[in-house]
Amino acid sequence: LDSYTRVDKTFTLRPNVAEWQDFKKARFFREIHGWSWHLEFWMENGLFRDIFTHEITTTQKMDALMNPSIYTEAELIAFETDEDIDATWDH
């Protein structure tokens, strides 16, 4: 909500260098992790893997992962199962 109320300030203010470096450090490994998942997905012909753990996952959880506006990372726990999961590929 705070970012929406400040949309008029978008691209008009810059953080100080220390704030930017902290943001960059915190974000770097998350970005690398996401890109590594993306590469695995395409190199394995669309094999469904959890974005956060890289474990093979179900179609239902993959659908939830592809809709991040609906589910947070914590809410995705509801889709986890102790059962063996058959490998599933994107169509």
Side-chain angles (χ1 to χ4, degrees):
L1 182 61
D2 187 42
S3 20
Y4 180 77
T5 60
R6 299 184 60 170
V7 75
D8 61 317
K9 303 267 187 227
T10 304
F11 302 116
T12 62
L13 302 172
R14 292 179 182 254
N16 66 44
V17 173
E19 288 176 321
W20 167 244
Q21 288 173 336
D22 290 344
F23 169 80
K24 185 173 69 169
K25 284 179 192 174
R27 192 73 190 154
F28 178 77
F29 289 105
R30 185 174 177 183
E31 286 292 322
I32 293 298
H33 188 80
W35 281 107
S36 69
W37 173 88
H38 185 80
L39 288 170
E40 284 178 358
F41 178 81
W42 290 109
M43 292 184 73
E44 294 177 331
N45 294 318
L47 179 63
F48 286 170
R49 289 186 176 274
D50 185 294
I51 293 170
F52 303 104
T53 66
H54 293 235
E55 298 293 325
I56 294 174
T57 193
T58 63
T59 303
Q60 293 80 13
K61 187 169 182 183
M62 194 67 186
D63 289 343
L65 287 165
M66 294 294 108
N67 290 298
S69 61
I70 298 172
Y71 300 100
T72 65
E73 182 177 353
E75 292 171 327
L76 291 168
I77 292 171
F79 294 93
E80 292 181 4
T81 178
D82 291 333
E83 299 173 15
D84 289 337
I85 299 172
D86 295 326
T88 307
W89 283 265
D90 196 10
H91 306 315

